[in-house]
Every structure is written in structure tokens, then in C-alpha cells.
């Protein structure tokens, strides 16, 4: 600023000549230079008439403006390279393109379709699923306690709201909570786990409320990852995987160790494949974390009890820290399939396993029958953690102060729903079963319709809320994709979006065996809309094969 004034005064002196007086043409020139430097048109003196500005004053002001700009400190070259390496397919280029197309439709630009159907992400309420009444009632009462006097709300909802508010500072959802979350909610989570697992004990002190499951997964990975070079932590993840894992591993500069699910066997997890991946990874890193997603995302498989026992034995044998992503535990549809928690199976395998295998398991309000993605509620249970590490984990969680308190309240209703004999039980069960039965129908519908399309194969959708069909892409299309510098399945999905308005995510964003191509699509749209969507995919795929045959 001082340099600016000095140069401006020099310009003014040249304009006025020696002995120029303040308040006259000198001040006017200063104002002129300042205005030009700021990119504004100069204002003349407060009298009528035309103001003439010297070329010297103008040139000086422009020169000042040029010198005022400098190179950006933060550029693609100077930014954190780990962040630049992060990719998150479910909100990647295909979704950005979908947004552009939506804007064009709003402007009246003609397309072969009238709307974009975003089947790329598991956002139940965005797809029309109605909220669970009881959950929303309790959160509403917590948010606006004056409603506790309203006869419009059932007493069992009021009872839960009062209990949650008593755990909040000042009886307000607007206060910070303990870093691990509200104590009474953690107690409710522990009770839920005990009921779910047939009496297996759960300690509230091992429960951490989180901002969705993603927050807990990232926190555990942060505390697990260490070392450099060949001692850098290796994190074993399933392929296909939910891209949160690959993104977090990139951000933390850890080593991603891929193990492949068996597509030929309904995406089963084979311990021989785990051993292959582990042994190969030991040559370049220190594998010490094993991630399991059950039920699977994007693959939809539900792991058998035998499979889980094998995985736990493998983790015990190889000294691996287990991460069990169980956010779809309510989403099991196929006959003969059942959700088994890793915690329960670990306990039933005996004290040698239960007292030694370190396990973090995760749940969320976002999936299941609730679909409350926006509340960002979740929890993790961590067992067999070293006492000193437990303190370090609490310290790490303290940095973000606490999870969203409304999300904590929503999580409480997931683990502490109405029970038989309570006023809201009948409606709650009706709504819950309606959502899950509807999802089961849509899972079967999607599987059947995909398998009627030539060049498409879809495994049974045993659980979760996605289909991950394998698609045949002709060599001519693969060559054209290369010419556009795209992965073949990205090319396919872009064409699908541009010609039908259907937004799905290419399988390359989740990982897949070389030479195979897939896409992930949610089954959440209403049944009639889902039928239309699947028919459009069928018509597109047949035309695609004809074009590139």
C-alpha cells in the first residue's frame, strides 16, 4: 500500500508540477490512481465539467495494478500430492457431466430424454423413499423441545427425546458433546449390539459415535498407518470396493493391497486369494489392515458364516487388524442368506480369538431401512485396542470436537426403536418392513431384467442396494474409448448418460479384474421408475452392441 501511495504521489506531482497543493489537483490525481488500480473508473471533482487525466497518471496506476497481482501460492504443482491422488468415483466425472446435462434441460435444450436419473449413489430419500416417522419425530422433538408439550407426538417419542436432551449440555442439541458422543446413546448402541448378537457383551466405552461410517473408517486408518518405504502400512481391500477406501489410502499415503472377490462364485471371498495378495504385498510394504465390506458394496453379496470364520482365522494367524464395514446389515434379501456380524463370530470362535483379534466394526443411519444420509450419523465399535492407543484415538477424535448432534440422535433411534407394547411400534414395524420388502422386490427385478439383456450378466443381489453387472464391450468400442482417453466402461457410461439420461458409475471406479467391465447402479428408484430405467438400459445396450459390432 505504501508503494502504491508513493507512486501515485509521483504521478500527481508530474500532473500538478512543483508546489502542487493538497486538496487540489494532487488529491484528485491520488484518487484517480487509486481508482484505476482498483479497476474502477475515476470520479472527477464534485463540480460540473470534464476531467482530464494525464497519461502519466493512468500508466502509473496500471503499472501498480499489474504489480499487485502475483502467482498463486496454491497450485496443482504445489498442493498436497496425496490429495491430488484421491479419486471418488461415485461423485466423479460422470456425475459432473450429469449436472451439466441437467442445467441444459432447465434451459430448454432438447435431449432424447426429459430428466436425468441419478442411479449413481445410494441416496434413498433423494430417490423418493419416505422417512421413518418415529425417527423424524424424535429428532424433531430434540431439535425444538417446545414440541414436547404438543399432543401431536406420541409419548414413546417424547420419552426418547427427553433422555437424549438430558445428555446434552444445557438440554440443547446445539451444544457440543463428548468427543466419543453422548453417553446415553453409546449405552443404547452397546445394548443394540448385545441384542443383535444374541447376548455377546458390548462395552459403551468401546463405542464411538461418528459422522456417518466414513468418519470412523478414516479415523481408524489414520491411527493405523505408519512407516516409510517397505515398512509403509499396507491396507488390504476387496476389489471391487467402495471407493472411500482407495481414497483414504491415497490421502494418507498408505499402500493399497488388492484382493479380488470371486465373481464366478457370486462375489465370494476366498482365503486363498487373501493369502496370495498378502504374500505378494510383503515384498513392498507391511500389510497390517484387512478391510471387509459385508453385505458388499458394490457387489451385493452376503458373506457366509464359514467365510467369516475363515477370514477371522486368517487375520489372527497373520496378525492383521480387521475393519468390518457392516452398514448394510439390515439389507439382506436372498433366501438362505443371513447377516452375521464379525463381532459375534469372533466371540463364538473362543477366547483365543476374541481376546486377541483387533476389530473395528461400523454402522450408519444412511443405509438399512432408514436411508437418513443427510444426518451423517454412525458409530464404530473397536475391541481389543491397546489402552494407550485408545487414548490416542480419543485425542484424534477430539480434534473434530464431536459428531453432528442431530446425527447422534438419529443413530439412537436406529439402535433404540419402538418395542412391542409401545405406542409407535405398529407403525414403525409397518414402515420398516415395507421399505425392506420393497428393496427385496427391486433387487430381484433388477437381477432378472439385467440377465435378459444380451452381453450383460448380473449376479444375485443378496444384499445392500446396488447391482454391479458385467457388461460386454466390443473391441471397436474399446478402441474408440482409447481414442477419447477414457476407460472403456467410462466411455460406455458416458454414452448411456448422454443418450438416455441415466447416470451410473463405471466399474473402473471400484476396481475390477483386468479385461472385465462393469457399472454400479442403485436399485433405489421406485419400482415403476426402475422398470423404465432398466428397459432404457436394455435398449441402449443392444444399440451399443449393434453400433460397435
Amino acid at each position: 500500500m505504501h508503494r502504491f501511495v508513493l507512486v501515485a504521489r509521483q504521478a500527481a506531482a508530474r500532473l500538478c508540477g512543483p508546489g502542487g497543493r493538497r486538496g487540489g489537483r494532487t488529491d484528485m490525481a491520488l484518487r484517480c490512481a487509486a481508482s484505476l488500480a482498483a479497476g474502477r473508473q475515476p470520479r472527477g471533482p464534485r463540480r460540473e465539467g470534464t476531467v482530464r487525466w494525464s497519461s502519466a497518471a493512468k500508466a502509473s496506476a496500471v503499472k501498480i495494478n499489474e504489480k499487485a497481482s502475483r502467482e498463486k501460492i496454491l497450485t496443482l504443482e504445489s498442493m498436497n500430492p496425496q490429495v491430488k491422488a484421491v479419486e471418488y468415483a461415485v461423485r466423479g466425472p460422470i456425475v459432473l457431466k450429469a449436472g451439466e446435462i441437467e442445467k441444459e434441460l432447465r434451459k430448454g435444450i432438447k435431449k432424447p430424454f426429459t430428466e436425468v436419473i441419478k442411479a449413481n449413489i445410494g441416496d434413498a430419500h433423494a430417490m423418493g423413499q419416505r422417512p421413518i416417522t418415529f425417527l423424524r419425530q424424535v429428532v424433531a422433538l430434540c431439535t425444538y423441545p417446545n414440541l414436547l408439550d404438543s399432543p401431536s407426538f406420541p409419548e414413546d417419542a417424547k420419552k426418547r427425546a427427553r433422555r437424549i436432551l438430558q445428555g446434552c449440555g444445557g438440554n440443547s442439541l446445539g451444544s457440543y458433546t463428548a468427543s466419543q458422543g453422548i453417553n446415553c446413546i453409546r449405552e443404547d448402541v452397546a445394548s443394540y449390539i448385545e441384542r443383535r448378537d444374541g447376548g455377546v457383551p458390548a462395552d459403551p466405552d468401546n463405542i464411538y459415535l461418528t459422522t456417518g461410517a466414513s468418519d470412523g473408517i478414516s479415523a481408524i486408518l489414520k491411527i493405523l498407518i505408519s512407516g516409510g518405504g517397505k515398512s509403509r502400512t499396507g491396507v488390504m481391500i476387496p476389489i471391487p470396493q467402495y471407493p472411500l477406501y482407495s481414497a483414504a489410502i491415497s490421502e494418507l499415503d498408505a499402500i493399497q493391497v488388492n484382493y479380488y472377490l470371486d465373481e464366478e462364485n457370486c462375489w465370494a471371498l476366498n482365503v486363498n486369494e487373501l493369502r496370495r495378495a498378502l504374500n505378494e504385498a510383503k515384498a513392498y510394504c507391511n500389510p497390517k489392515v484387512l478391510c471387509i465390506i459385508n453385505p458388499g458394496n458394490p457387489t451385493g453379496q452376503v458373506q457366509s458364516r464359514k467365510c467369516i470364520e475363515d477370514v477371522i482365522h486368517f487375520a489372527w494367524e497373520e496378525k492383521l487388524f480387521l475393519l468390518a464395514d457392516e452398514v448394510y446389515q439390515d439389507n439382506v434379501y436372498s433366501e438362505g442368506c443371513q447377516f452375521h456380524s464379525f463381532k459375534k463370530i469372533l466371540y463364538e470362535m473362543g477366547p483365543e480369538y476374541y481376546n486377541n483379534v483387533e476389530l473395528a466394526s461400523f454402522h450408519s443411519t444412511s443405509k438399512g431401512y432408514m436411508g437418513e444420509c443427510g444426518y451423517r450419523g454412525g458409530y464404530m465399535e473397536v475391541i481389543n485396542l491397546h489402552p494407550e492407543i485408545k487414548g490416542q484415538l480419543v485425542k484424534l477424535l477430539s480434534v473434530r470436537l464431536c459428531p453432528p448432534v442431530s446425527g447422534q440422535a438419529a443413530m439412537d433411534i436406529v439402535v433404540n426403536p419402538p418395542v412391542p407394547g409401545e405406542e409407535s411400534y405398529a407403525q414403525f414395524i409397518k414402515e420398516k418392513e415395507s421399505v425392506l420388502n420393497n428393496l427385496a422386490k427391486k433387487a430381484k427385478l433388477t437381477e432378472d431384467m439385467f440377465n435378459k439383456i444380451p452381453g450383460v450378466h448380473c449376479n444375485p443381489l443378496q444384499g445392500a442396494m446396488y447391482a454391479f453387472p458385467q457388461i460386454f464391450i466390443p473391441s471397436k468400442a474399446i478402441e474408440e474409448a482409447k481414442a477419447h482417453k477414457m476407460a472403456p466402461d467410462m466411455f460406455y457410461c458416458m454414452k448411456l448418460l448422454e443418450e438416455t439420461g441415466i447416470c451410473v458409475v463405471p466399474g473402473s471406479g471400484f476396481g475390477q479384474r483386468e479385461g472385465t467391465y462393469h457399472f454400479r447402479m442403485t436399485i433405489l428408484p421406485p419400482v415403476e421408475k426402475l422398470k423404465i430405467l432398466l428397459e432404457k438400459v436394455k435398449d441402449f445396450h443392444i444399440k451399443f452392441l449393434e453400433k460397435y459390432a
Side-chain angles (χ1 to χ4, degrees):
M1 183 64 186
H2 293 299
R3 182 173 179 81
F4 164 78
V5 172
L6 176 62
V7 175
R9 282 179 175 166
Q10 290 171 349
R14 288 194 295 272
L15 177 66
C16 300
R21 291 181 294 115
R22 289 181 63 81
R25 294 178 69 193
T26 306
D27 281 355
M28 186 167 65
L30 282 168
R31 289 197 304 273
C32 164
S35 294
L36 286 171
R40 302 190 302 270
Q41 290 297 321
R43 293 187 302 168
R46 296 181 182 176
R47 54 184 165 79
E48 292 182 3
T50 305
V51 180
R52 291 191 179 92
W53 304 98
S54 76
S55 57
K58 289 180 180 178
S60 296
V62 170
K63 190 174 183 182
I64 293 165
N65 195 31
E66 288 174 351
K67 288 187 176 180
S69 64
R70 58 172 172 78
E71 290 183 2
K72 298 291 185 187
I73 294 168
L74 185 59
T75 65
L76 280 174
E77 288 70 35
S78 68
M79 73 174 285
N80 183 337
Q82 272 66 61
V83 174
K84 189 159 58 173
V86 168
E87 294 183 2
Y88 189 64
V90 295
R91 296 200 177 198
I94 198 87
V95 183
L96 296 177
K97 181 65 176 178
E100 292 173 10
I101 291 173
E102 282 185 315
K103 288 179 183 177
E104 291 173 352
L105 287 171
R106 285 195 292 269
K107 290 178 182 176
I109 297 174
K110 296 296 182 185
K111 302 282 182 184
F113 46 87
T114 56
E115 67 169 333
V116 171
I117 302 175
K118 290 183 178 176
N120 60 296
I121 196 165
D123 191 347
H125 292 184
M127 288 290 180
Q129 180 178 311
R130 296 184 64 82
I132 299 297
T133 302
F134 188 76
L135 188 149
R136 286 296 182 89
Q137 286 175 331
V138 175
V139 175
L141 289 164
C142 289
T143 305
Y144 190 60
N146 288 4
L147 294 173
L148 288 165
D149 297 324
S150 169
S152 300
F153 289 80
E155 283 304 315
D156 48 359
K158 291 179 181 179
K159 178 183 175 182
R160 283 164 176 77
R162 289 190 185 100
R163 183 166 181 267
I164 292 167
L165 289 171
Q166 286 168 5
C168 297
N171 287 339
S172 173
L173 226 58
S175 61
Y176 289 129
T177 72
S179 299
Q180 280 186 248
I182 297 172
N183 189 59
C184 68
I185 298 178
R186 290 164 53 220
E187 290 172 353
D188 288 344
V189 170
S191 297
Y192 162 81
I193 291 170
E194 288 186 4
R195 292 194 308 274
R196 180 198 69 186
D197 293 344
V200 176
D203 184 349
D205 200 38
N206 292 334
I207 307 295
Y208 305 80
L209 301 183
T210 57
T211 308
S214 302
D215 174 48
I217 293 165
S218 297
I220 286 292
L221 286 174
K222 279 180 187 176
I223 212 162
L224 275 163
I225 289 167
S226 63
K230 287 188 177 181
S231 67
R232 193 69 177 146
T233 298
V235 182
M236 301 180 68
I237 64 172
I239 297 297
Q241 52 105 23
Y242 175 51
L244 161 69
Y245 292 93
S246 54
I249 291 166
S250 292
E251 182 184 351
L252 298 169
D253 197 24
I255 303 298
Q256 178 175 318
V257 178
N258 295 339
Y259 66 88
Y260 290 88
L261 301 176
D262 185 359
E263 185 171 11
E264 299 299 316
N265 192 23
C266 202
W267 299 111
L269 196 167
N270 189 302
V271 172
N272 290 332
E273 170 61 13
L274 289 179
R275 189 163 282 110
R276 176 208 63 79
L278 179 78
N279 290 336
E280 288 183 8
K282 285 179 178 177
Y284 55 85
C285 69
N286 175 26
K288 64 180 183 182
V289 187
L290 172 57
C291 301
I292 310 290
I293 308 173
N294 180 49
N297 175 12
T299 46
Q301 87 286 2
V302 178
Q303 302 294 0
S304 69
R305 181 190 178 93
K306 175 67 166 61
C307 175
I308 294 172
E309 288 176 349
D310 290 345
V311 170
I312 290 172
H313 177 75
F314 178 78
W316 173 82
E317 186 179 45
E318 298 292 346
K319 296 183 173 64
L320 297 171
F321 195 114
L322 268 175
L323 303 189
D325 182 339
E326 298 175 334
V327 302
Y328 296 99
Q329 59 190 259
D330 288 302
N331 301 105
V332 177
Y333 315 123
S334 293
E335 288 186 19
C337 289
Q338 181 182 348
F339 170 75
H340 302 280
S341 78
F342 269 75
K343 165 84 176 295
K344 180 184 180 186
I345 304 302
L346 180 62
Y347 185 84
E348 292 175 349
M349 287 175 70
E352 188 174 11
Y353 293 93
Y354 184 68
N355 294 327
N356 289 292
V357 175
E358 293 151 282
L359 169 69
S361 53
F362 308 90
H363 196 17
S364 166
T365 64
S366 301
K367 309 305 175 185
Y369 58 88
M370 307 79 65
E372 294 284 8
C373 304
Y375 277 117
R376 309 308 302 129
Y379 75 75
M380 61 179 173
E381 181 187 24
V382 190
I383 61 172
N384 292 325
L385 205 59
H386 190 288
E388 291 177 358
I389 294 298
K390 202 168 189 176
Q392 293 295 317
L393 177 58
V394 172
K395 178 185 73 175
L396 179 63
L397 296 175
S398 298
V399 174
R400 50 89 157 127
L401 296 176
C402 68
V405 187
S406 56
Q408 294 186 48
M411 190 75 246
D412 187 67
I413 307 312
V414 175
V415 300
N416 186 25
V419 296
E422 287 190 308
E423 183 179 350
S424 302
Y425 179 74
Q427 182 182 10
F428 170 78
I429 286 296
K430 181 181 178 182
E431 291 177 351
K432 175 182 176 179
E433 291 182 350
S434 173
V435 170
L436 293 176
N437 290 338
N438 204 25
L439 283 169
K441 289 176 186 175
K442 290 189 282 190
K444 184 62 176 162
L445 170 70
T446 302
E447 175 196 338
D448 289 346
M449 289 191 71
F450 272 142
N451 286 326
K452 290 176 181 176
I453 304 174
V456 176
H457 174 71
C458 184
N459 274 322
L461 309 185
Q462 297 174 335
M465 49 184 63
Y466 312 99
F468 196 68
Q470 183 174 158
I471 51 174
F472 172 70
I473 298 182
S475 56
K476 188 177 175 183
I478 294 171
E479 291 303 315
E480 188 166 332
K482 287 178 182 177
H484 287 85
K485 296 182 179 179
M486 286 185 185
D489 49 7
M490 173 64 85
F491 176 75
Y492 178 97
C493 291
M494 278 291 186
K495 290 288 186 185
L496 176 67
L497 174 63
E498 290 167 354
E499 294 181 24
T500 68
I502 297 169
C503 179
V504 297
V505 190
S508 49
F510 301 88
Q512 55 198 351
R513 284 194 180 275
E514 189 174 347
T516 67
Y517 305 107
H518 304 77
F519 64 79
R520 189 190 80 161
M521 185 198 85
T522 182
I523 62 170
L524 288 171
V527 171
E528 291 310 312
K529 195 171 208 176
L530 183 61
K531 286 179 180 176
I532 293 169
L533 184 157
L534 292 167
E535 285 292 344
K536 284 186 173 184
V537 171
K538 176 184 176 181
D539 293 343
F540 166 82
H541 188 80
I542 291 170
K543 290 176 184 175
F544 186 87
L545 292 182
E546 289 172 351
K547 180 177 180 180
Y548 292 103

